[in-house]
Amino acid sequence: QVQLVESGGGLVQPGGSLRLSCAASGSIFNVYYMAWYQQAPGKQRELVATITSGGATTYTDSVKGRFTISRDNAKNTVYLQMDSLKPEDTAVYYCNAVISGQNHTPYNYWGQGTQVTVSS
């Protein structure tokens, strides 16, 4: 059993920063891919950033230059550093990861989500 536990959300002012973290725990053989999604109220869940096991990253246009995804492979943890936050960044942020356990079968896991609110 593998679980993703997210933390770091909260309330910040526009222009502020937050750092989200997502730690994978359990019996893990390999973490192939990790990503962050955002879902605003009444909207579809959307991809924000991705990172491969080799460290290659992608970002959606709206966060380029402001958000940075990174990972600590030793800790099976992915981070999302969010700078210059805007009110439109307000959403629940979900961690996503493709992970294989001891049976070597990859599975798409989701975290429980963490709320990010950007407001004055």
Side-chain angles (χ1 to χ4, degrees), residues 7 21 23 45 49 55-56 58 60-61 72 78 81 87 90 92 102 107 112 118:
S7 62
S21 65
R45 190 173 300 183
T58 69
T60 191
D61 287 343
D72 184 335
V78 64
Q81 178 67 43
T90 296
V92 177
Q102 290 302 113
Y107 189 83
Q112 80 284 358
V118 185

Side-chain angles (χ1 to χ4, degrees), residues 12-89:
V12 297
Q13 295 182 354
S17 297
L18 283 174
R19 190 191 191 201
L20 308 183
S21 65
C22 172
S25 63
S27 182
I28 296 171
F29 176 75
N30 195 22
V31 180
Y32 301 97
Y33 166 95
M34 304 187 87
W36 288 96
Y37 288 73
Q38 64 179 186
Q39 187 167 22
K43 299 192 68 176
Q44 187 177 3
R45 190 173 300 183
E46 298 180 346
L47 182 65
V48 175
T50 69
I51 187 166
T52 69
S53 60
T57 60
T58 69
Y59 299 92
T60 191
D61 287 343
S62 64
V63 308
K64 287 180 179 177
R66 300 189 299 119
F67 292 8
T68 303
I69 188 171
S70 62
R71 63 190 292 173
D72 184 335
N73 291 334
K75 297 181 179 180
N76 291 321
T77 299
V78 64
Y79 305 93
L80 186 67
Q81 178 67 43
M82 302 185 294
D83 299 319
S84 301
L85 282 162
K86 304 175 181 179
E88 50 263 46
D89 297 320

